[in-house]
Amino acid sequence: MLKEITELKISKSDKTTKELYKYFQKKYHLGALAVVEAVTIASLKATNKKSLSLLIISPSGQMKSQVMKEITEIFKEESIQIPSRFTPYGLSQRMGKPRLDNKTWSINDMVRTFDGLSQVKISELVGWLSEMISEQKSGSMTAQEAELQAKMNLIGNIALVSYKEIERKFISSTLSERIMQFGFTISKDKVRQKTDRTHKGNPKRPQVKIKPTEIKISRKEKKRIYLWADRLTP
């Protein structure tokens, strides 16, 4: 999917998009992934459209954690890192709405989110996330104290092997309809090339500000989007 997104002519996009792409492409070979994550965060600021949520699926060791960490730091006013091992109660009571509202929730390792949980607990957690994304509020099947209301969207990382183990739970819930699944793989040579580089050779991190915006899409652009959606959807 990285190749297809790159073909959308990122080089002709606005200045901020080009800066993000060049920075992450030079540092990790993952410029397209960073742009998609940035668009997901920015979508929460759209005043007239529903925001996008993203599930990033790739084998272990593909540097998706590093990209998420830096994207969260770049957009520190708009996003928040959620502990990989969490419960609805823990988020609502220990973090609370003030920290979670109007934020993109970034979950770095959803392997840990589901690891060791029973199938019933996995179903409950998937359902809770689905309701939060869709309705911007959710309760709990087990505790009234876990009720939460917050405007949010989600970016989650999960290893390919682990996703295959719980894929049925995603498909059987409405979460799969509310979160875009983004899969990618880059070669081991590229991973080694970037992990072996010295910090001295890293590019300067871009600075980005996001403002609430009304999204306007022309008929021509909608047609282009639908064509790409058909191409990217099995």
Side-chain angles (χ1 to χ4, degrees), residues 6-23:
T6 305
E7 288 177 12
L8 287 173
K9 307 300 182 185
I10 289 174
S11 61
K12 295 183 180 179
S13 299
D14 63 86
K15 180 181 177 182
T16 300
T17 304
K18 286 190 286 187
E19 287 179 354
L20 280 169
Y21 178 81
K22 288 179 180 179
Y23 172 80

PDB file of all heavy atoms in Angstrom, residues 6-23:
ATOM      1  N   THR A   6       2.144   6.559  -2.435  1.00  0.00           N
ATOM      2  CA  THR A   6       3.186   7.420  -3.003  1.00  0.00           C
ATOM      3  C   THR A   6       2.801   7.873  -4.405  1.00  0.00           C
ATOM      4  O   THR A   6       3.096   8.994  -4.822  1.00  0.00           O
ATOM      5  CB  THR A   6       4.538   6.677  -3.049  1.00  0.00           C
ATOM      6  OG1 THR A   6       4.854   6.212  -1.731  1.00  0.00           O
ATOM      7  CG2 THR A   6       5.647   7.593  -3.507  1.00  0.00           C
ATOM      8  N   GLU A   7       2.088   7.022  -5.140  1.00  0.00           N
ATOM      9  CA  GLU A   7       1.662   7.358  -6.492  1.00  0.00           C
ATOM     10  C   GLU A   7       0.608   8.470  -6.517  1.00  0.00           C
ATOM     11  O   GLU A   7       0.279   8.995  -7.577  1.00  0.00           O
ATOM     12  CB  GLU A   7       1.101   6.117  -7.192  1.00  0.00           C
ATOM     13  CG  GLU A   7       2.173   5.101  -7.581  1.00  0.00           C
ATOM     14  CD  GLU A   7       1.577   3.859  -8.194  1.00  0.00           C
ATOM     15  OE1 GLU A   7       0.375   3.873  -8.517  1.00  0.00           O
ATOM     16  OE2 GLU A   7       2.308   2.868  -8.357  1.00  0.00           O
ATOM     17  N   LEU A   8       0.069   8.837  -5.344  1.00  0.00           N
ATOM     18  CA  LEU A   8      -0.909   9.916  -5.289  1.00  0.00           C
ATOM     19  C   LEU A   8      -0.248  11.287  -5.474  1.00  0.00           C
ATOM     20  O   LEU A   8      -0.885  12.317  -5.314  1.00  0.00           O
ATOM     21  CB  LEU A   8      -1.647   9.888  -3.941  1.00  0.00           C
ATOM     22  CG  LEU A   8      -2.662   8.746  -3.771  1.00  0.00           C
ATOM     23  CD1 LEU A   8      -3.180   8.726  -2.339  1.00  0.00           C
ATOM     24  CD2 LEU A   8      -3.814   8.877  -4.746  1.00  0.00           C
ATOM     25  N   LYS A   9       1.042  11.266  -5.805  1.00  0.00           N
ATOM     26  CA  LYS A   9       1.790  12.494  -6.119  1.00  0.00           C
ATOM     27  C   LYS A   9       1.945  13.385  -4.875  1.00  0.00           C
ATOM     28  O   LYS A   9       1.563  14.557  -4.873  1.00  0.00           O
ATOM     29  CB  LYS A   9       1.104  13.279  -7.249  1.00  0.00           C
ATOM     30  CG  LYS A   9       0.815  12.472  -8.501  1.00  0.00           C
ATOM     31  CD  LYS A   9       2.087  11.909  -9.122  1.00  0.00           C
ATOM     32  CE  LYS A   9       1.809  11.148 -10.405  1.00  0.00           C
ATOM     33  NZ  LYS A   9       2.980  10.483 -10.979  1.00  0.00           N
ATOM     34  N   ILE A  10       2.506  12.797  -3.831  1.00  0.00           N
ATOM     35  CA  ILE A  10       2.759  13.564  -2.616  1.00  0.00           C
ATOM     36  C   ILE A  10       3.658  14.757  -2.917  1.00  0.00           C
ATOM     37  O   ILE A  10       3.567  15.810  -2.297  1.00  0.00           O
ATOM     38  CB  ILE A  10       3.386  12.661  -1.530  1.00  0.00           C
ATOM     39  CG1 ILE A  10       2.328  11.685  -1.009  1.00  0.00           C
ATOM     40  CG2 ILE A  10       3.973  13.465  -0.381  1.00  0.00           C
ATOM     41  CD1 ILE A  10       2.834  10.651  -0.045  1.00  0.00           C
ATOM     42  N   SER A  11       4.527  14.608  -3.905  1.00  0.00           N
ATOM     43  CA  SER A  11       5.454  15.689  -4.251  1.00  0.00           C
ATOM     44  C   SER A  11       4.727  16.956  -4.696  1.00  0.00           C
ATOM     45  O   SER A  11       5.283  18.050  -4.652  1.00  0.00           O
ATOM     46  CB  SER A  11       6.407  15.231  -5.362  1.00  0.00           C
ATOM     47  OG  SER A  11       5.681  14.895  -6.526  1.00  0.00           O
ATOM     48  N   LYS A  12       3.469  16.820  -5.116  1.00  0.00           N
ATOM     49  CA  LYS A  12       2.696  17.977  -5.558  1.00  0.00           C
ATOM     50  C   LYS A  12       1.766  18.499  -4.463  1.00  0.00           C
ATOM     51  O   LYS A  12       0.965  19.401  -4.697  1.00  0.00           O
ATOM     52  CB  LYS A  12       1.869  17.614  -6.801  1.00  0.00           C
ATOM     53  CG  LYS A  12       2.715  17.283  -8.027  1.00  0.00           C
ATOM     54  CD  LYS A  12       1.845  16.995  -9.232  1.00  0.00           C
ATOM     55  CE  LYS A  12       2.704  16.676 -10.453  1.00  0.00           C
ATOM     56  NZ  LYS A  12       1.874  16.366 -11.641  1.00  0.00           N
ATOM     57  N   SER A  13       1.842  17.912  -3.261  1.00  0.00           N
ATOM     58  CA  SER A  13       0.985  18.318  -2.159  1.00  0.00           C
ATOM     59  C   SER A  13       1.488  19.623  -1.546  1.00  0.00           C
ATOM     60  O   SER A  13       2.465  20.222  -2.002  1.00  0.00           O
ATOM     61  CB  SER A  13       0.928  17.216  -1.102  1.00  0.00           C
ATOM     62  OG  SER A  13       0.402  16.023  -1.635  1.00  0.00           O
ATOM     63  N   ASP A  14       0.807  20.064  -0.475  1.00  0.00           N
ATOM     64  CA  ASP A  14       1.200  21.308   0.174  1.00  0.00           C
ATOM     65  C   ASP A  14       2.568  21.170   0.843  1.00  0.00           C
ATOM     66  O   ASP A  14       3.089  20.069   1.028  1.00  0.00           O
ATOM     67  CB  ASP A  14       0.137  21.719   1.195  1.00  0.00           C
ATOM     68  CG  ASP A  14       0.002  20.688   2.305  1.00  0.00           C
ATOM     69  OD1 ASP A  14       0.761  20.773   3.294  1.00  0.00           O
ATOM     70  OD2 ASP A  14      -0.836  19.798   2.164  1.00  0.00           O
ATOM     71  N   LYS A  15       3.112  22.296   1.269  1.00  0.00           N
ATOM     72  CA  LYS A  15       4.469  22.344   1.804  1.00  0.00           C
ATOM     73  C   LYS A  15       4.648  21.451   3.032  1.00  0.00           C
ATOM     74  O   LYS A  15       5.640  20.727   3.153  1.00  0.00           O
ATOM     75  CB  LYS A  15       4.827  23.787   2.149  1.00  0.00           C
ATOM     76  CG  LYS A  15       6.232  23.962   2.709  1.00  0.00           C
ATOM     77  CD  LYS A  15       6.507  25.418   3.059  1.00  0.00           C
ATOM     78  CE  LYS A  15       7.886  25.566   3.687  1.00  0.00           C
ATOM     79  NZ  LYS A  15       8.146  26.978   4.078  1.00  0.00           N
ATOM     80  N   THR A  16       3.671  21.476   3.965  1.00  0.00           N
ATOM     81  CA  THR A  16       3.771  20.682   5.190  1.00  0.00           C
ATOM     82  C   THR A  16       3.809  19.195   4.882  1.00  0.00           C
ATOM     83  O   THR A  16       4.609  18.451   5.460  1.00  0.00           O
ATOM     84  CB  THR A  16       2.584  20.994   6.118  1.00  0.00           C
ATOM     85  OG1 THR A  16       2.594  22.381   6.448  1.00  0.00           O
ATOM     86  CG2 THR A  16       2.668  20.175   7.396  1.00  0.00           C
ATOM     87  N   THR A  17       2.944  18.765   3.973  1.00  0.00           N
ATOM     88  CA  THR A  17       2.910  17.346   3.603  1.00  0.00           C
ATOM     89  C   THR A  17       4.242  16.915   3.006  1.00  0.00           C
ATOM     90  O   THR A  17       4.765  15.842   3.335  1.00  0.00           O
ATOM     91  CB  THR A  17       1.775  17.083   2.598  1.00  0.00           C
ATOM     92  OG1 THR A  17       0.538  17.527   3.151  1.00  0.00           O
ATOM     93  CG2 THR A  17       1.668  15.596   2.281  1.00  0.00           C
ATOM     94  N   LYS A  18       4.799  17.744   2.142  1.00  0.00           N
ATOM     95  CA  LYS A  18       6.087  17.413   1.522  1.00  0.00           C
ATOM     96  C   LYS A  18       7.203  17.334   2.559  1.00  0.00           C
ATOM     97  O   LYS A  18       8.064  16.452   2.495  1.00  0.00           O
ATOM     98  CB  LYS A  18       6.424  18.449   0.446  1.00  0.00           C
ATOM     99  CG  LYS A  18       5.590  18.309  -0.821  1.00  0.00           C
ATOM    100  CD  LYS A  18       6.099  19.180  -1.946  1.00  0.00           C
ATOM    101  CE  LYS A  18       5.783  20.633  -1.724  1.00  0.00           C
ATOM    102  NZ  LYS A  18       6.132  21.480  -2.891  1.00  0.00           N
ATOM    103  N   GLU A  19       7.184  18.248   3.528  1.00  0.00           N
ATOM    104  CA  GLU A  19       8.209  18.226   4.573  1.00  0.00           C
ATOM    105  C   GLU A  19       8.115  16.963   5.421  1.00  0.00           C
ATOM    106  O   GLU A  19       9.137  16.345   5.736  1.00  0.00           O
ATOM    107  CB  GLU A  19       8.070  19.465   5.465  1.00  0.00           C
ATOM    108  CG  GLU A  19       8.528  20.753   4.793  1.00  0.00           C
ATOM    109  CD  GLU A  19       8.342  21.959   5.694  1.00  0.00           C
ATOM    110  OE1 GLU A  19       7.745  21.799   6.787  1.00  0.00           O
ATOM    111  OE2 GLU A  19       8.792  23.053   5.320  1.00  0.00           O
ATOM    112  N   LEU A  20       6.898  16.592   5.799  1.00  0.00           N
ATOM    113  CA  LEU A  20       6.708  15.363   6.577  1.00  0.00           C
ATOM    114  C   LEU A  20       7.176  14.146   5.791  1.00  0.00           C
ATOM    115  O   LEU A  20       7.876  13.277   6.321  1.00  0.00           O
ATOM    116  CB  LEU A  20       5.236  15.194   6.956  1.00  0.00           C
ATOM    117  CG  LEU A  20       4.722  16.005   8.135  1.00  0.00           C
ATOM    118  CD1 LEU A  20       3.204  15.928   8.215  1.00  0.00           C
ATOM    119  CD2 LEU A  20       5.340  15.505   9.440  1.00  0.00           C
ATOM    120  N   TYR A  21       6.768  14.090   4.533  1.00  0.00           N
ATOM    121  CA  TYR A  21       7.133  12.944   3.697  1.00  0.00           C
ATOM    122  C   TYR A  21       8.655  12.833   3.562  1.00  0.00           C
ATOM    123  O   TYR A  21       9.237  11.760   3.764  1.00  0.00           O
ATOM    124  CB  TYR A  21       6.493  13.063   2.318  1.00  0.00           C
ATOM    125  CG  TYR A  21       6.882  11.937   1.396  1.00  0.00           C
ATOM    126  CD1 TYR A  21       6.235  10.702   1.465  1.00  0.00           C
ATOM    127  CD2 TYR A  21       7.925  12.076   0.472  1.00  0.00           C
ATOM    128  CE1 TYR A  21       6.602   9.651   0.640  1.00  0.00           C
ATOM    129  CE2 TYR A  21       8.301  11.035  -0.347  1.00  0.00           C
ATOM    130  CZ  TYR A  21       7.632   9.823  -0.266  1.00  0.00           C
ATOM    131  OH  TYR A  21       8.018   8.782  -1.069  1.00  0.00           O
ATOM    132  N   LYS A  22       9.309  13.922   3.250  1.00  0.00           N
ATOM    133  CA  LYS A  22      10.767  13.895   3.044  1.00  0.00           C
ATOM    134  C   LYS A  22      11.499  13.507   4.327  1.00  0.00           C
ATOM    135  O   LYS A  22      12.468  12.745   4.296  1.00  0.00           O
ATOM    136  CB  LYS A  22      11.245  15.253   2.543  1.00  0.00           C
ATOM    137  CG  LYS A  22      10.843  15.551   1.098  1.00  0.00           C
ATOM    138  CD  LYS A  22      11.331  16.932   0.671  1.00  0.00           C
ATOM    139  CE  LYS A  22      10.942  17.233  -0.775  1.00  0.00           C
ATOM    140  NZ  LYS A  22      11.394  18.593  -1.184  1.00  0.00           N
ATOM    141  N   TYR A  23      11.042  14.042   5.460  1.00  0.00           N
ATOM    142  CA  TYR A  23      11.698  13.743   6.747  1.00  0.00           C
ATOM    143  C   TYR A  23      11.627  12.251   7.068  1.00  0.00           C
ATOM    144  O   TYR A  23      12.643  11.605   7.351  1.00  0.00           O
ATOM    145  CB  TYR A  23      11.034  14.552   7.859  1.00  0.00           C
ATOM    146  CG  TYR A  23      11.516  14.181   9.249  1.00  0.00           C
ATOM    147  CD1 TYR A  23      12.730  14.672   9.739  1.00  0.00           C
ATOM    148  CD2 TYR A  23      10.771  13.346  10.068  1.00  0.00           C
ATOM    149  CE1 TYR A  23      13.182  14.340  11.007  1.00  0.00           C
ATOM    150  CE2 TYR A  23      11.209  13.004  11.338  1.00  0.00           C
ATOM    151  CZ  TYR A  23      12.409  13.504  11.804  1.00  0.00           C
ATOM    152  OH  TYR A  23      12.860  13.157  13.056  1.00  0.00           O
TER     153      TYR A  23
END
